Amino acid sequence: MVRTARSEATRTALGPTLVRLCREGLDIVCIDADLGYSTSAVKFGQEFPERFFPVGVAEQNMIGVSAGLAACGKIAFCSSFAVFAPGHCFDQLRMAVGQPQTNVKLVASHGGVVTGEDGASAEAIEDLALMLSIPTFRVIFPADVVEAEQAIETAARTEGPFYMRTLRPKTPVIYDDSGYRFQLGRWDRLRDGSDVTLIACGELVKAALDAAEILAGEGIATRVLNASSLRPIDREALLGAARETGAIVTAEDHFVHGGLSGLVAETLAEENPVPLAFIGMRDRYGTSGTWEELLEYFGLTPQAIAEAARGVMSRKSQ
Amino acid sequence: MVRTARSEATRTALGPTLVRLCREGLDIVCIDADLGYSTSAVKFGQEFPERFFPVGVAEQNMIGVSAGLAACGKIAFCSSFAVFAPGHCFDQLRMAVGQPQTNVKLVASHGGVVTGEDGASAEAIEDLALMLSIPTFRVIFPADVVEAEQAIETAARTEGPFYMRTLRPKTPVIYDDSGYRFQLGRWDRLRDGSDVTLIACGELVKAALDAAEILAGEGIATRVLNASSLRPIDREALLGAARETGAIVTAEDHFVHGGLSGLVAETLAEENPVPLAFIGMRDRYGTSGTWEELLEYFGLTPQAIAEAARGVMSRKSQ
Amino acid sequence: MARAQTVSVDELKSIAKRIRRHIVQMTANANSGHPGGSLSSVEIATSLYFRVLRYDPQNPLWPDRDRFIVSKGHATPMVYSTMAEAGYFPVEDLMTFRKLGGKLQGHTIMQKPPGVEMSAGALGMGLSFSLGHALAGRLDGRDYHVFCLLSDGDCQEGQTWEAAMASAHHRAENLIAIVDRNHIQNDGFSDYQRFPDGNGSRPQRPGGWVLKDGHTANIMNLEPLEDKWKAFGWSTQHIDGHDFEAIIRALEAAKTHTGGPSVVVCETIKGKGVSFMENNPDFHGKAPSPEQLEQALKELAD
Amino acid sequence: MARAQTVSVDELKSIAKRIRRHIVQMTANANSGHPGGSLSSVEIATSLYFRVLRYDPQNPLWPDRDRFIVSKGHATPMVYSTMAEAGYFPVEDLMTFRKLGGKLQGHTIMQKPPGVEMSAGALGMGLSFSLGHALAGRLDGRDYHVFCLLSDGDCQEGQTWEAAMASAHHRAENLIAIVDRNHIQNDGFSDYQRFPDGNGSRPQRPGGWVLKDGHTANIMNLEPLEDKWKAFGWSTQHIDGHDFEAIIRALEAAKTHTGGPSVVVCETIKGKGVSFMENNPDFHGKAPSPEQLEQALKELAD
Ligand SMILES: Cc1ncc(C[n+]2csc(CCOP(=O)(O)OP(=O)(O)O)c2C)c(N)n1
Ligand SMILES: Cc1ncc(C[n+]2csc(CCOP(=O)(O)OP(=O)(O)O)c2C)c(N)n1
Ligand SMILES: [Mg+2]
Ligand SMILES: [Mg+2]
């Protein structure tokens, strides 16, 4: 486990990474629905103005134009906030990207309640569920800016539809100088243990690591998996965790239903049903506040994860 | 268990039921995005032209107009095909209906692969996942036309957002003369048994009943639950099934992820993780064919359900 | 093959008749499908494939091909019939239409069979996709044109106007929209223009009204449609969509237009060519019965 | 209270100044929020609440009230400040803006506090919702008017044009749209109209270009905007959105217009009233620093 003090918003990875990849010769274009300043996509537009296509505040059109460019051989990156894309253009994602499997990469920032002050309307806590309901999309939620950059490169170099969620606030960097390489369908084992497994994605990977630290103080050996690759999932790591630790807690800044928790529950139920506990959003929307306040307010914290771990361990079959 | 030979499309319940309820004094309006002829909503327009608002092929506007009418005290029913609403207007459903909890009822027909000949684009197998990711929506998928009519009445008489999925083809009627009354959050126990439980929704309730018949021939006592109320779910019935039968098969004409299977898996994982098996759609879209052919082709059959039941029973912990 | 410039208007007429026969036969054979909006666009499609488009049925993904992108993805009988006549696949394949395991799906699927440009079936998506093709062409320095076929319903979806605005903004002069303006959609008549008010007993109210047979009159008036396109920055033409000479003239003019996109609004008759289907909302999405097929083939005989 | 007809233009000006002070104070206090598009619409909102609208802050859900529906739901500083001044809730509540547990959320939430008509924050949704209110009014025989405030970005979302088309189709003469046309959006300048090309070194290319500071010039040109509304069946007016007399005259004219909906396109300056915010895309969604607040309050002093 490598941890540093640096913090960085995962959304900042987009523009610079695309610039680098385009310079390396990838045939990238960028389609922007008036949020490129916030998603960092404009950085690409500064370097490659003829490859940068603003479409105004029009997410449906953004997806359609992206699909058309992709059908002509381009690697089409588009970006918006995660409430608007997929939310405002789901059918376009399904029809113009998902079904024909055009080479479109949607990188949506401002995922999760950590979006903060704008409040409920701006906090995407259903985007992963929506994107997971288009089976041809690879779905990535990186744990930090280092992984975000790697995942963008993977998306660019891998044919077919990708969705990636990034975040607004500066969250702790986990993978600085770690030599880590993101791989589709691989959940990084950040910490090993055999009493219980914590499976988290996005900024809650750090919370899971902190929870493991708390639990270690209680003599509980905790495995921590970074489920950044939500599709494909890492079946081997998941089944291994169920088999070897017998109890799992998931943690996500997203609705439990249809998200990471849903994926884990569905997979294990058919293979090896062990007790699970879910840390995530349930029946209500977010609200205004700073991102740290909101994590507290909605119980997306190391403490809550640790508490859930204790609970789920007590339910293990002996 | 009551079964009759009559078949009827659940979509035909909409218009006539709304006419009846409006005559009874409910302040109903109907907003139509050029599919009222197919969803039967036009029947309402024939009787109450001043309460019927065509908006053309414009699902986003349909939802917004419905929400505005609802905000003024109307019971706003709108309808379309289940691929277009929610798919084409998800953000509108979230923002104009789900978050403010306006009194809008979306009744979407042509759900499932049974939509048939039009093929992949027309077969909604993600609509339930989408609607279940808006937590304030009640989500109903009736098993037959009798239940559809009752559910529409419940939606009309219950304040707040509702989504209901209906079907294109004439499917068998289950509840003729049964005295059955649909209740939100209640899963009808159509057949009792203690070896295994089949939980199905929509037209697969009939398939589950037929599967139970097959299993009965093998001496397997099968419980069958009609999970027409997907939100709220019937926790009591579900936990009872897990406790008393120890193994469950779900069956739905929908993606497994985020649908009924997801709901069941998530709920049990936190309460009582028993072996589950899912009959539903997984990693691919539908195709053209008659609705009966497609049920066969995608393995949404009594035989497949029965086979899954045998499998899941073999995984029960002794 | 580049476009077959030599095909005369008389020949076009006879090809169109064959295509119409395919349309009624394949929908009857499938016992489902959308004959109405297929028949209304036959002259448009025939003009494109036999006079205007640059393409090679042997090399459907030829990067320099002109694109024909059909937004109204339910009009597969027209799409597949015309492609079969243009040599993309054997005419016999038309009988697999809408069958389980068949090559020809109910709504279009991108490159299935090769040459079909777009997955469609949800209205309103074609113009955005077409703009993407147009922008890619400019970026790559290719001189192809992109033709996008829109329906009444397409023009009611907001996405079409998003795409229209963006196309003008990006001055996509290689983009040409064609509206199959048959004034009938799923529920009935778009407006009162083609509405035969048999009894004339009801006032022409805004928002329309539902007829005895369940169809709606005046679902959503698109007029003044040309003005809308103009205000969105498009060059416009308005023609008879069943007149080959007018269609070819308009499309060639659109190709030479510079500075921005252009649209050709084609006035058409839904169900054109089959007496009992013409201007009849019933046949938007209904196949002819065996008897009706016989009658239709009689009317469409050479 | 019905509208306060007696408020003079001078008084309106001083109310507007107070509202502007609230806007910069509450965003500075929250250290986030959207001052730019709030400041551009102050004269519009002030005219509505103090001269045009019929409402009762004691009875916010009064069925006969005129509706003011704000589609650009990020402009909460304007919405809440004006409502506080109009008596819906104490001015002190403005300091709870964007705070955890506070009454005033970052984007509008329907009837929280009572009197806020619509949940917004996603652009493009307001006109549809307004049309619903307008149709309900006609159905119930109520004589209220529905005023819908739209932004540049709202007019780029297809849903707005769906709603525009439907409003004309249903002849919603009780519906009035107001466009806060400040020519700046999230990424920068909508077009070149307000774009101060400091170095003038780059050509005005279609599709715009990204500036050194990361803002974009010419994101999506909406012009000719009035023509668009006209072609969609609306009666139009085009005025200076900071001129009280022009605003009130236009809104009263719109109220008496019959036969269909009408729109008032208001030319405004984003950030209006605070020198360093005016026409500056930086302050679309950024709060002033403490020093900037001080400067702003100086400029906005009575
Ligand atoms: C987004 C969307 N909403 C609804 C439908 C259902 N639908 C299929 S065809 C049709 C209308 C057909 O009329 P038109 O668009 O005028 O096509 P044409 O007359 O050319 O066949 C509708 C509403 C659809 N295909 N897509
Ligand atoms: C559907 C949608 N897409 C994107 C956004 C993100 N966003 C917030 S404000 C804004 C643009 C603001 O400019 P404008 O609409 O002109 O508002 P104003 O200048 O009046 O503040 C954008 C794109 C949004 N709110 N809604
Ligand atoms: Mg038509
Ligand atoms: Mg603006």
Side-chain angles (χ1 to χ4, degrees):
Chain A
M1 179 182 54
V2 183
R3 285 199 251 167
T4 66
R6 186 163 79 98
S7 283
E8 190 77 72
T10 53
R11 62 181 162 132
T12 62
L14 180 61
T17 308
L18 294 186
V19 168
R20 173 169 68 77
L21 294 170
C22 199
R23 284 211 189 108
E24 291 177 17
L26 268 62
D27 196 359
I28 290 173
V29 293
C30 207
I31 303 90
D32 179 46
D34 195 27
L35 283 170
Y37 192 71
S38 311
T39 67
S40 80
V42 290
K43 298 243 156 71
F44 181 83
Q46 286 174 317
E47 292 298 314
F48 299 101
E50 74 290 353
R51 292 178 166 273
F52 184 75
F53 301 101
V55 296
V57 191
E59 294 77 12
Q60 301 189 109
N61 190 42
M62 176 179 76
I63 302 301
V65 169
S66 300
L69 281 154
C72 296
K74 306 294 160 203
I75 305 171
F77 273 84
C78 51
S79 70
S80 180
F81 288 172
V83 276
F84 307 128
H88 218 88
C89 49
F90 179 83
D91 202 15
Q92 286 73 23
L93 287 164
R94 176 185 188 265
M95 282 303 301
V97 186
Q99 292 202 350
Q101 301 189 44
T102 48
N103 202 16
V104 173
K105 327 292 179 181
L106 171 60
V107 181
S109 81
H110 290 54
V113 296
V114 292
T115 295
E117 291 82 353
D118 281 351
S121 78
E123 295 164 6
I125 49 178
E126 63 289 281
D127 57 317
L128 300 172
L130 266 61
M131 295 313 302
L132 289 168
S133 74
I134 307 183
T136 52
F137 263 90
R138 263 67 58 99
V139 178
I140 317 293
F141 182 13
D144 73 0
V145 71
V146 175
E147 187 172 36
E149 177 174 346
Q150 297 179 5
I152 290 165
E153 177 155 4
T154 300
R157 295 189 186 279
T158 311
E159 181 74 25
F162 272 79
Y163 175 73
M164 184 170 131
R165 185 209 249 199
T166 62
L167 302 175
R168 187 187 72 83
K170 293 186 177 174
T171 52
V173 178
I174 292 174
Y175 287 116
D176 250 352
D177 315 313
S178 67
Y180 171 72
R181 291 303 313 169
F182 169 80
Q183 264 180 271
L184 267 181
R186 231 203 96 221
W187 290 356
D188 184 39
R189 191 187 293 190
L190 278 159
R191 181 177 180 130
D192 205 4
S194 56
D195 292 332
V196 65
T197 302
L198 312 179
I199 305 180
C201 53
E203 81 277 20
L204 294 192
V205 172
K206 176 64 168 63
L209 286 170
D210 292 347
E213 208 65 65
I214 297 173
L215 294 166
E218 301 165 19
I220 299 172
T222 306
R223 185 175 298 185
V224 178
L225 299 176
N226 170 13
S228 50
S229 178
L230 289 158
R231 187 161 48 220
I233 60 167
D234 187 340
R235 283 180 70 84
E236 209 177 308
L238 175 56
L239 295 177
R243 195 173 52 239
E244 294 155 22
T245 73
I248 293 173
V249 177
T250 62
E252 60 190 316
D253 184 357
H254 186 273
F255 284 129
V256 160
H257 178 68
L260 169 65
S261 308
L263 286 173
V264 168
E266 291 154 12
T267 307
L268 292 180
E270 289 196 310
E271 295 281 349
N272 180 9
V274 301
L276 306 181
F278 308 131
I279 296 294
M281 299 292 287
R282 300 208 184 218
D283 302 324
R284 54 181 175 165
Y285 282 105
T287 187
S288 288
T290 69
W291 69 277
E292 288 106 334
E293 283 171 350
L294 293 175
L295 287 176
E296 278 291 324
Y297 185 74
F298 290 112
L300 308 175
T301 59
Q303 293 71 27
I305 297 171
E307 183 56 32
R310 290 178 207 112
V312 80
M313 282 175 63
S314 75
R315 289 167 45 220
K316 272 201 228 185
S317 47
Q318 296 71 3
Chain B
M1 179 182 56
V2 183
R3 287 202 250 166
T4 64
R6 185 163 79 97
S7 283
E8 189 78 70
T10 53
R11 63 181 161 132
T12 62
L14 180 60
T17 307
L18 294 186
V19 168
R20 172 170 66 77
L21 294 171
C22 198
R23 285 212 188 106
E24 290 176 17
L26 268 60
D27 196 358
I28 290 171
V29 294
C30 209
I31 302 90
D32 178 47
D34 196 27
L35 283 169
Y37 192 70
S38 309
T39 67
S40 80
V42 290
K43 297 244 156 70
F44 182 83
Q46 285 174 316
E47 291 298 315
F48 298 102
E50 73 292 352
R51 293 178 164 272
F52 184 76
F53 301 101
V55 296
V57 190
E59 294 78 11
Q60 301 189 113
N61 190 42
M62 175 179 77
I63 301 302
V65 169
S66 300
L69 281 153
C72 296
K74 306 294 161 201
I75 305 170
F77 273 84
C78 52
S79 70
S80 180
F81 287 171
V83 277
F84 307 127
H88 219 86
C89 49
F90 178 82
D91 202 16
Q92 287 73 22
L93 287 164
R94 176 184 187 265
M95 283 302 302
V97 186
Q99 293 202 351
Q101 302 189 45
T102 48
N103 203 14
V104 172
K105 327 292 179 182
L106 171 59
V107 180
S109 80
H110 290 54
V113 296
V114 293
T115 295
E117 291 82 352
D118 282 349
S121 78
E123 294 163 8
I125 50 179
E126 63 288 281
D127 57 317
L128 300 172
L130 267 61
M131 295 312 303
L132 288 168
S133 74
I134 306 182
T136 51
F137 263 90
R138 264 67 61 97
V139 179
I140 317 293
F141 183 14
D144 74 0
V145 70
V146 174
E147 188 172 36
E149 177 172 345
Q150 297 180 4
I152 290 164
E153 177 154 5
T154 299
R157 295 190 185 279
T158 310
E159 183 73 25
F162 272 78
Y163 175 73
M164 184 172 133
R165 183 208 249 200
T166 63
L167 303 174
R168 188 188 71 85
K170 294 188 177 172
T171 52
V173 178
I174 292 173
Y175 286 116
D176 251 352
D177 316 313
S178 66
Y180 170 72
R181 290 305 310 169
F182 169 81
Q183 264 180 270
L184 267 180
R186 231 204 95 223
W187 291 356
D188 185 38
R189 190 186 293 190
L190 278 158
R191 181 175 179 134
D192 206 2
S194 55
D195 292 332
V196 66
T197 302
L198 312 179
I199 305 180
C201 54
E203 81 276 22
L204 295 192
V205 172
K206 176 65 167 62
L209 287 169
D210 292 348
E213 207 66 63
I214 296 173
L215 294 166
E218 301 164 19
I220 299 171
T222 307
R223 186 175 299 184
V224 178
L225 299 176
N226 169 13
S228 50
S229 178
L230 289 159
R231 188 160 47 223
I233 60 166
D234 187 338
R235 284 181 69 85
E236 207 177 310
L238 175 55
L239 296 177
R243 194 173 53 239
E244 293 155 22
T245 72
I248 293 174
V249 178
T250 61
E252 60 190 316
D253 184 355
H254 185 273
F255 283 129
V256 160
H257 178 68
L260 169 65
S261 308
L263 287 173
V264 167
E266 292 154 12
T267 307
L268 292 180
E270 288 197 311
E271 296 281 349
N272 181 10
V274 301
L276 305 180
F278 309 132
I279 296 295
M281 299 293 287
R282 302 209 184 215
D283 302 324
R284 55 182 175 164
Y285 282 104
T287 188
S288 288
T290 68
W291 69 277
E292 288 107 332
E293 283 171 350
L294 293 175
L295 286 176
E296 278 292 323
Y297 184 75
F298 290 112
L300 308 175
T301 58
Q303 292 72 28
I305 297 171
E307 183 56 32
R310 289 178 207 111
V312 81
M313 282 175 63
S314 74
R315 290 167 44 221
K316 273 202 228 185
S317 48
Q318 295 73 0
Chain C
M1 149 171 133
R3 82 200 83 137
Q5 298 264 23
T6 51
V7 177
S8 70
V9 167
D10 274 351
E11 284 171 280
L12 289 175
K13 284 184 182 162
S14 105
I15 298 170
K17 251 194 188 156
R18 274 211 301 281
I19 290 173
R20 286 203 158 87
R21 289 198 296 268
H22 294 323
I23 289 171
V24 294
Q25 278 174 311
M26 67 195 283
T27 50
N29 182 62
N31 195 22
S32 77
H34 298 81
S38 292
L39 291 167
S40 65
S41 51
V42 168
E43 280 77 13
I44 296 166
T46 307
S47 302
L48 281 164
Y49 278 97
F50 294 92
R51 281 292 285 275
V52 179
L53 292 181
R54 179 173 77 189
Y55 64 97
D56 176 1
Q58 254 48 64
N59 185 10
L61 286 170
W62 181 30
D64 285 317
R65 74 191 180 281
D66 286 336
R67 273 72 168 163
F68 178 44
I69 293 171
V70 179
S71 187
K72 39 179 275 189
H74 58 277
T76 37
M78 171 275 290
V79 173
Y80 299 148
S81 298
T82 315
M83 286 178 66
E85 285 294 331
Y88 281 87
F89 51 80
V91 163
E92 297 77 63
D93 285 4
L94 297 176
M95 292 302 123
T96 71
F97 180 52
R98 291 178 162 258
K99 304 283 191 198
L100 183 64
K103 287 187 197 157
L104 304 179
Q105 292 288 301
H107 291 163
T108 54
I109 296 202
M110 184 174 155
Q111 302 304 339
K112 282 186 189 158
V116 174
E117 296 287 359
M118 182 189 174
S119 289
L123 289 164
M125 299 195 184
L127 195 59
S128 300
F129 189 70
S130 301
L131 173 57
H133 278 267
L135 294 172
R138 181 159 69 193
L139 184 57
D140 289 346
R142 299 187 190 277
D143 69 346
Y144 61 75
H145 285 87
V146 182
F147 298 87
C148 177
L149 182 65
L150 301 171
S151 66
D152 301 300
D154 276 314
C155 296
Q156 293 166 0
E157 282 286 352
Q159 187 183 352
T160 296
W161 299 105
E162 294 178 358
M165 195 186 289
S167 301
H169 183 67
H170 287 278
R171 298 199 201 132
E173 60 188 26
N174 52 351
L175 176 59
I176 297 155
I178 305 166
V179 183
D180 180 7
R181 183 82 171 102
N182 59 35
H183 298 262
I184 289 181
Q185 41 198 98
N186 186 79
D187 280 1
F189 297 90
S190 309
D191 45 52
Y192 291 120
Q193 278 194 48
R194 299 280 168 81
F195 172 57
D197 188 0
N199 56 14
S201 58
R202 296 180 77 163
Q204 297 204 348
R205 66 188 283 275
W209 36 277
V210 183
L211 312 172
K212 275 204 206 74
D213 71 353
H215 286 110
T216 302
N218 201 30
I219 293 166
M220 183 50 60
N221 182 14
L222 283 164
E223 294 304 328
L225 184 55
E226 248 190 292
D227 286 359
K228 289 186 172 62
W229 287 99
K230 274 204 192 92
F232 274 71
W234 289 57
S235 154
T236 70
Q237 300 178 74
H238 197 164
I239 62 166
D240 173 352
H242 299 304
D243 176 342
F244 279 112
E245 278 163 17
I247 296 169
I248 293 164
R249 204 182 315 120
L251 293 179
E252 292 298 343
K255 278 171 64 175
T256 61
H257 174 75
T258 56
S262 61
V263 61
V264 183
V265 178
C266 296
E267 290 293 334
T268 58
I269 307 285
K270 198 152 177 170
K272 175 74 176 181
V274 178
S275 58
F276 57 89
M277 291 188 178
E278 286 196 0
N279 204 35
N280 180 355
D282 259 356
F283 284 97
H284 161 65
K286 202 177 74 176
S289 67
E291 302 73 48
Q292 289 172 324
L293 173 64
E294 200 177 322
Q295 165 75 12
L297 288 175
K298 211 176 291 168
E299 295 181 18
L300 293 169
D302 274 321
Chain D
M1 151 171 131
R3 83 200 83 137
Q5 299 263 22
T6 52
V7 177
S8 71
V9 167
D10 275 349
E11 286 172 278
L12 289 175
K13 284 183 182 164
S14 104
I15 298 170
K17 255 195 185 154
R18 275 211 301 280
I19 291 173
R20 286 203 158 87
R21 290 198 295 268
H22 295 323
I23 290 171
V24 293
Q25 278 174 309
M26 66 195 285
T27 51
N29 182 63
N31 194 23
S32 78
H34 298 81
S38 292
L39 291 167
S40 64
S41 51
V42 168
E43 279 78 12
I44 296 166
T46 307
S47 302
L48 281 164
Y49 277 97
F50 293 91
R51 281 291 285 273
V52 179
L53 292 181
R54 179 171 77 191
Y55 64 97
D56 177 0
Q58 255 47 67
N59 185 10
L61 287 170
W62 181 29
D64 286 316
R65 74 190 181 282
D66 285 337
R67 272 73 167 164
F68 178 44
I69 292 171
V70 179
S71 186
K72 38 179 275 188
H74 58 278
T76 37
M78 171 276 290
V79 173
Y80 300 147
S81 299
T82 316
M83 286 177 67
E85 285 294 330
Y88 281 87
F89 51 81
V91 163
E92 297 77 63
D93 285 5
L94 297 177
M95 292 302 123
T96 71
F97 180 52
R98 291 181 161 255
K99 304 284 189 197
L100 183 63
K103 287 186 195 156
L104 303 180
Q105 292 286 302
H107 292 162
T108 55
I109 296 204
M110 184 173 155
Q111 301 305 339
K112 280 182 190 160
V116 174
E117 295 287 358
M118 183 190 174
S119 289
L123 290 163
M125 298 193 184
L127 195 59
S128 300
F129 188 70
S130 301
L131 174 57
H133 278 268
L135 294 173
R138 181 159 70 195
L139 184 57
D140 289 346
R142 299 188 191 277
D143 68 348
Y144 60 76
H145 285 87
V146 183
F147 298 86
C148 177
L149 182 65
L150 302 171
S151 66
D152 301 300
D154 276 316
C155 295
Q156 293 166 0
E157 281 287 351
Q159 187 184 352
T160 296
W161 299 106
E162 294 178 358
M165 196 186 287
S167 301
H169 182 68
H170 286 279
R171 296 197 201 135
E173 59 189 26
N174 52 350
L175 176 60
I176 296 156
I178 304 167
V179 183
D180 180 6
R181 184 82 172 101
N182 58 34
H183 298 262
I184 289 182
Q185 40 198 98
N186 186 79
D187 280 0
F189 297 90
S190 309
D191 43 54
Y192 292 118
Q193 278 194 46
R194 300 278 169 81
F195 172 57
D197 188 1
N199 56 14
S201 60
R202 296 181 77 164
Q204 297 205 350
R205 66 188 283 275
W209 37 277
V210 182
L211 311 173
K212 276 204 205 74
D213 71 352
H215 286 111
T216 303
N218 201 29
I219 294 166
M220 182 51 58
N221 182 14
L222 283 164
E223 295 302 329
L225 184 55
E226 247 190 293
D227 285 1
K228 289 184 174 61
W229 288 99
K230 276 205 191 93
F232 274 70
W234 289 57
S235 155
T236 71
Q237 300 177 76
H238 196 166
I239 63 166
D240 173 353
H242 299 304
D243 176 341
F244 279 112
E245 278 164 20
I247 296 169
I248 294 164
R249 205 181 316 120
L251 293 178
E252 292 298 345
K255 280 172 63 174
T256 60
H257 175 75
T258 55
S262 59
V263 62
V264 183
V265 178
C266 296
E267 291 293 336
T268 59
I269 308 284
K270 199 151 176 169
K272 175 76 177 179
V274 179
S275 58
F276 57 89
M277 292 188 178
E278 286 198 1
N279 205 35
N280 180 355
D282 260 355
F283 285 95
H284 161 64
K286 203 176 74 177
S289 68
E291 302 73 47
Q292 289 173 325
L293 173 64
E294 201 178 322
Q295 164 76 8
L297 288 176
K298 212 175 292 168
E299 295 182 18
L300 294 169
D302 274 322

